[in-house]
Amino acid sequence: MTVETDILAALTGLVAGRVFPDIAPQKTPRPYITFQQIGGQTLQPLDNSLPDKKNGRFQVDVWATTRMAASSLALQVEAALVGSTVFTCRAIGAHANTHEPDEGLYGTSQDFSVWSSR
């Protein structure tokens, strides 16, 4: 398993399985969640051994048909990730709102630091 699999598992119950790495398929019913790794910290032990933990910075985006629905889902995402017992997660900053008027989508984006042994 990978940390991405663990993130998917932590979020899938919030939107009936509509959680996707990177992008959602066209015409995905709303609400849905996308996430991607956008960096992270590296550990470089002095003895050149491989570290037993890895860090990733993940951007999680929620998409819904209204601002209130997107904001509510974003709070649920934060609670699910920070409350995980499978990995350690901390929010990096607050939510940032977005809007895609051509698609009728309201979105919220937030970055998280995730430490995992996977």
Side-chain angles (χ1 to χ4, degrees), residues 31 62-76 106 108:
V62 304
W63 299 99
T65 55
T66 68
R67 165 59 44 224
M68 297 310 289
S71 295
S72 176
L73 181 55
L75 292 173
Q76 294 173 56
Y106 290 85
T108 298

Side-chain angles (χ1 to χ4, degrees), residues 5 20-21 44-45 49 63 67 71 75 79 82 87 98 103 108 110 112-113:
T5 303
F20 307 96
Q44 197 75 16
S49 64
W63 299 99
R67 165 59 44 224
S71 295
L75 292 173
V82 172
F87 50 79
T98 188
E103 300 293 323
T108 298
Q110 188 171 20
F112 296 90
S113 175

Side-chain angles (χ1 to χ4, degrees), residues 77-100:
V77 164
E78 184 174 0
L81 293 178
V82 172
S84 174
T85 58
V86 178
F87 50 79
T88 302
C89 179
R90 298 290 178 259
I92 303 173
H95 304 120
N97 294 337
T98 188
H99 181 228
E100 297 286 338

Side-chain angles (χ1 to χ4, degrees), residues 7 15 102-103:
I7 291 171
V15 287
D102 293 340
E103 300 293 323

Side-chain angles (χ1 to χ4, degrees), residues 45 47-53:
D47 65 358
N48 292 325
S49 64
L50 291 175
D52 64 345
K53 297 275 186 197

